[in-house]
Amino acid sequence: MALPGGAAMNITIRLQFEKDIVSFSDIAAAIGKAGGDIVGIDVISSSKVHTVRDITVSALDTKQCDLIIEALKKIRGVKIINVSDRTFLMHIGGKIETNSKIPVKTRDDLSRVYTPGVARVCTAIAEDPRKAYSLTIKRNTVAVVSDGTAVLGLGDIGPYAAMPVMEGKAMLFKEFAGVDAFPICLDTKDTEEIIQIVKAIAPAFGGINLEDISAPRCFEIEKRLKEELDIPVFHDDQHGTAVVLLAGLLNALKIVDKKLEDIKVVLTGIGAAGIACTKILLAAGVRNIIGVDRHGAIHRDETYENPYWQEYAQITNPDNLKGSLSDVIAGADVFIGVSAPGILKVEDVKKMARDPIVFAMANPIPEIDPELAEPYVRVMATGRSDYPNQINNVLCFPGIFRGALDCRAREINEEMKLAAAKAIASVVTEDELNETYIIPSVFNSKVVERVRQAVIEAAYRTGVARKDNIPVGGYTGQ
């Protein structure tokens, strides 16, 4: 199966070949014919008779890797010693660890970091719990919480299998924003139990990042935790996607010279991400959004069992349009997909307004093949890294949490999300902006600090920041 996001996989093949029977060019030709791309060669040993080499090969998926291995096995004089998946090697023992900030080398060191000296610090916090922010890791720590029910494009794979993703999320927090994050994968799908567990562990953390929890439970979990905790709670699958989508759309509209309040938007996939995307677009000024699910457009004349759809019908589709995606997309300026592969057809795109904008974000296969859409679309964005304009949550959550932690915000509110979206969009300058560059790279060093500052300013403006002053200076690097 192809990897999510269109990412290639690398394998390292250690093989021995006899010099008088086969040449390396024969081996390279066999790998290329099987569809592999050699990206690295290391000589392990060599003699007059044979050579041992590690050959690192990039392939599309596991099926292609198997074809490459079989092709090599058929070559006379070649012996495969070992095959290693570099991604698996990177995960051995996990990807993160904890480190001490202070060395413990003497008895005096021990007495200060632990008993008896630590007792005075504990007493100070007991007398004033606010001091936990200055005297413990709380001020810079985020819990990445998942139950493993909606992981990437893999679905309900459970808490154990979700750990590599949550570890990766913790790595991104640290690498991009200096936030100490820790994966918390819960072996329960019970909504109330998840809420109570997160509340119970909250004293150790300055924020909660909910991740890969299936809808509709994710709505209730986030809502309750936001109400019952005094630290930021952020479901990245909903709001991270929404923030980056809005950032990209703001810049795409500059290219086609259209305004938020004038456009017609059709959005497919009325789940966690779809509802969040809709709400942030409405908050930003969009007036005409039509949500479409597998049964057609969501409209006010229907009674829906799903209470979130019932609410959705009341705030969208002002003209109360009915019918399929193909019916309601006529005249639309923007298509947004957070749904399923291949549901948007070329014929549908042709019905859209001039200079159509398409955000096809289903992973690993978008709602429409970008190459099919290209002749008819002015601006195209996907969730994939192998096409321009990737809508990637990494642009959002590190900076948002960095800002929220730095000003000790009680919550991450709508104004902070809007500010983050505008900040991300602002990183792309007028000189840089074009149809294939509406959103900055996740590795652009300006993104985290620009988002951080915008989030802090919005937090103070809306009264949710608890620090006396906006922090001086900025986060200075990865």
Side-chain angles (χ1 to χ4, degrees), residues 237-239 241-243 245-246 267 271-283 289 312 336 338 361:
D237 302 312
Q238 292 184 61
H239 309 299
T241 302
V243 166
L245 163 72
L246 176 58
L267 183 147
I275 291 174
C277 288
T278 297
K279 288 186 175 180
I280 201 170
L281 292 177
L282 291 171
I289 302 178
Y312 192 92
I336 296 169
V338 279
M361 299 187 291

Side-chain angles (χ1 to χ4, degrees), residues 315-329:
I315 62 174
T316 60
N317 198 354
D319 297 325
N320 210 31
L321 298 181
K322 300 169 186 175
S324 67
L325 170 61
S326 186
D327 294 328
V328 301
I329 202 168

Side-chain angles (χ1 to χ4, degrees), residues 53-73:
R53 295 190 186 184
D54 279 350
I55 305 173
T56 301
V57 180
S58 177
L60 289 176
D61 50 31
T62 55
K63 183 179 180 180
Q64 192 171 69
C65 288
D66 292 339
L67 292 174
I68 293 166
I69 300 301
E70 289 304 312
L72 292 173
K73 286 179 178 179

Side-chain angles (χ1 to χ4, degrees), residues 317-386:
N317 198 354
D319 297 325
N320 210 31
L321 298 181
K322 300 169 186 175
S324 67
L325 170 61
S326 186
D327 294 328
V328 301
I329 202 168
D333 301 279
V334 179
F335 168 85
I336 296 169
V338 279
S339 51
I343 64 169
L344 182 68
K345 309 302 180 185
V346 169
E347 292 73 21
D348 299 327
V349 177
K350 290 179 178 179
K351 296 179 182 178
M352 295 177 69
R354 70 162 177 88
D355 296 331
I357 297 168
V358 171
F359 283 66
M361 299 187 291
N363 260 331
I365 304 173
E367 283 80 2
I368 187 170
D369 185 331
E371 294 172 8
L372 289 177
E374 184 180 8
Y376 312 102
V377 172
R378 181 72 183 275
V379 181
M380 180 85 197
T382 70
R384 295 173 59 125
S385 60
D386 53 348

Side-chain angles (χ1 to χ4, degrees), residues 145-160:
V145 179
S146 180
D147 63 358
T149 54
V151 180
L152 299 178
L154 304 174
D156 186 354
I157 60 174
Y160 292 97

